[in-house]
Amino acid sequence: MTRMSVRPILIHPDPRLKKVATAVPDLSDELRALAEDMLETMYDAPGIGLAAPQVGVLERLIVADAVKDPDEEPQPMVMFNPEVILASDETSVYEEGCLSIPEQFAEVTRPAEVRVRWIDMKGEERESDFAGLWATVLQHEIDHLNGKLFIDYLSPMKRQMMTRRSQKIKRERMRA
Ligand code: K1U
Ligand code: ZN
């Protein structure tokens, strides 16, 4: 068995975070190992989601675990080629964060419920409905696969402010 590892997370601005990721044609041991590394990276951060472009891999793969309560059983999810196939008219507002835009949060409005179709770790097609934090996180992660960040939903002025702050944090982390 190969050992899982924590991978470095790209910090905005980075051109790789603005690209559209490519669909995964077939599952391979390499892709499954990437998924395991991404789960390890997400839990280590800590975060409740992570998309492959955030670790510099431009393929359509996301991981998530929206169980925030440490007393509850973790629910790691791995999704290859995830797609929102149905979204509710009803919306919800959540104060989102992003591991690629550290230490910054802003309210984003999204559909409250979504139906997602994806390929699981066994290579099987799955479909399920998600609500609450799960719906928010999965939409945020699928946006990453399309080169979209949560700050793209904000006003140009707020987006510029958060980009500058992220750039400063990125420089400080590179010097450290
Ligand atoms: O995609 C990412 O950058 C991960 C991001 C996911 C996300 C959070 C909130 C709303 C939408 C999407 C994060 O995980 S940021 C960190 C975070 O929210 C968190 C960290 C530890 C415990 C609980 C939450
Ligand atoms: Zn993010």
Side-chain angles (χ1 to χ4, degrees):
M1 201 186 84
T2 44
R3 237 193 161 71
M4 285 188 285
S5 55
V6 171
R7 300 194 181 199
I9 296 173
L10 300 182
I11 304 296
H12 170 69
D14 186 298
R16 289 166 287 183
L17 292 171
K18 299 305 298 171
K19 296 236 163 80
V20 177
T22 314
V24 170
D26 285 303
L27 293 202
S28 60
D29 286 348
E30 197 189 336
L31 277 169
R32 287 191 187 89
L34 169 64
E36 297 286 2
D37 282 0
M38 284 173 56
L39 280 171
E40 183 93 341
T41 305
M42 177 189 78
Y43 287 123
D44 176 76
I48 52 177
L50 192 70
Q54 293 180 278
V55 292
V57 179
L58 291 171
E59 303 214 58
R60 299 188 83 81
L61 162 62
I62 65 171
V63 299
D65 187 346
V67 177
K68 279 166 113 181
D69 184 346
D71 294 332
E72 261 187 62
E73 196 64 29
Q75 235 179 282
M77 294 280 291
V78 173
M79 297 182 169
F80 295 94
N81 300 338
E83 283 175 84
V84 172
I85 55 168
L86 201 61
S88 63
D89 291 334
E90 189 203 335
T91 57
S92 77
V93 181
Y94 192 85
E95 186 162 65
E96 299 195 12
C98 181
L99 297 172
S100 295
I101 308 175
E103 299 165 33
Q104 299 184 84
F105 301 87
E107 284 190 346
V108 177
T109 305
R110 297 182 186 272
E113 286 182 44
V114 286
R115 180 166 297 161
V116 180
R117 183 185 292 156
W118 74 97
I119 305 290
D120 70 13
M121 280 284 247
K122 293 181 191 152
E124 281 162 16
E125 188 173 286
R126 303 269 301 270
E127 205 175 287
S128 195
D129 292 336
F130 296 90
L133 185 55
W134 276 102
T136 297
V137 175
L138 293 178
Q139 289 175 81
H140 175 116
E141 301 312 329
I142 292 171
D143 272 354
H144 272 300
L145 302 181
N146 295 321
K148 189 160 184 165
L149 302 173
F150 82 96
I151 56 170
D152 294 330
Y153 291 96
L154 311 179
S155 69
M157 202 204 253
K158 194 121 198 255
R159 184 161 61 242
Q160 191 186 52
M161 231 175 63
M162 291 173 93
T163 297
R164 287 199 179 134
R165 182 137 187 260
S166 186
Q167 192 148 34
K168 186 166 175 266
I169 293 170
K170 185 175 172 173
R171 272 197 228 104
E172 284 164 2
R173 287 193 185 176
M174 277 183 339
R175 272 200 293 267

